[in-house]
Amino acid sequence: MGRVVAVLLGMAAALASAAPAYGDIYREVAVDGSVTFTNVYRKERKSVLLRREPRPAVPVPKPRPVAGAARPYAALVAAAAAEHGLPEALLHAVIRAESNYDPHAISPKGAAGLMQLMPDTARELGVADVWDPAANIRGGARYLKRLLEMFDQDLSLAVAAYNAGPGAVIGSGSAIPPSAETQRYVPKVLEYYRRLQSGG
């Protein structure tokens, strides 16, 4: 009985003092035949592994979005937004929906550049080179500002007019035109805009 108590006390002491305290269990047999259980491997005592517990997983922190991280063409967008009194997030939302930041994008109808300006619209806005990102963004911002004024600051109607043309919005009774493209486009831009405003 005394040997059993000694063994148990030895095991408890080893477990209490061991670091790190994982669940591996080793058996050691001393010269006098006494058996000790421990969670510390000791080569000189010929420890025999009886049970192995998996090590706790080390949590890997997920990368967090950096607040205020620069978006493509951020400086050009900021300058155009300041010039025309528009939110930067709105210009970014339109650019993302129109071209996904591709300055070489061109639509089947001929709209070109970051903000997908139609040739006649670009000329009317004084944009000499639609492939120049700075000129394209300035022209698109000027056009968007004009549409907001035309539709009494109604963002949904201005965005719809950017996509379908102001005549289509007016012809629909100052409502979003029923075309499937515009019906998809308006909520997409507004969703991007809200997300960007909230830092997403």
Side-chain angles (χ1 to χ4, degrees):
M1 177 65 72
R3 176 174 293 182
V4 173
V5 173
V7 168
L8 291 176
L9 289 175
M11 179 179 174
L15 290 173
S17 62
Y22 296 123
D24 295 351
I25 301 296
Y26 297 92
R27 182 185 64 198
E28 298 174 352
V29 180
V31 178
D32 63 358
S34 62
V35 178
T36 302
F37 297 92
T38 178
N39 67 338
V40 179
Y41 174 77
R42 288 179 281 205
K43 184 177 180 180
E44 69 278 4
R45 298 196 183 184
K46 298 182 180 179
S47 300
V48 177
L49 179 66
L50 296 181
R51 186 182 73 178
R52 178 173 294 282
E53 289 290 329
R55 290 336 189 219
V58 178
V60 178
K62 294 182 179 179
R64 294 182 177 180
V66 179
R71 298 184 178 89
Y73 303 101
L76 298 180
V77 168
E83 181 182 352
H84 297 287
L86 295 172
E88 293 178 35
L90 180 58
L91 293 183
H92 277 291
V94 172
I95 292 171
R96 181 175 172 185
E98 289 286 348
S99 67
N100 199 26
Y101 293 98
D102 180 2
H104 307 294
I106 185 166
S107 77
K109 296 179 181 178
L114 288 168
M115 296 194 73
Q116 291 289 278
L117 300 178
M118 293 293 289
D120 289 344
T121 304
R123 278 192 296 272
E124 196 272 326
L125 293 167
V127 179
D129 182 4
V130 293
W131 307 115
D132 174 37
N136 193 291
I137 292 171
R138 281 199 310 270
R142 188 179 306 125
Y143 186 46
L144 192 54
K145 176 72 171 182
R146 181 184 301 173
L147 294 173
L148 282 165
E149 292 170 350
M150 183 181 296
F151 293 103
D152 197 26
Q153 305 303 316
D154 187 313
L155 185 56
S156 295
L157 294 184
V159 169
Y162 194 95
N163 175 256
V169 174
I170 294 169
S172 299
S174 293
I176 298 173
S179 72
E181 178 187 341
T182 306
Q183 290 284 329
R184 289 192 302 269
Y185 178 85
V186 173
K188 179 166 66 173
V189 171
L190 296 183
E191 173 59 24
Y192 288 160
Y193 177 47
R194 293 189 194 100
R195 199 181 305 166
L196 291 169
Q197 277 190 314
S198 63

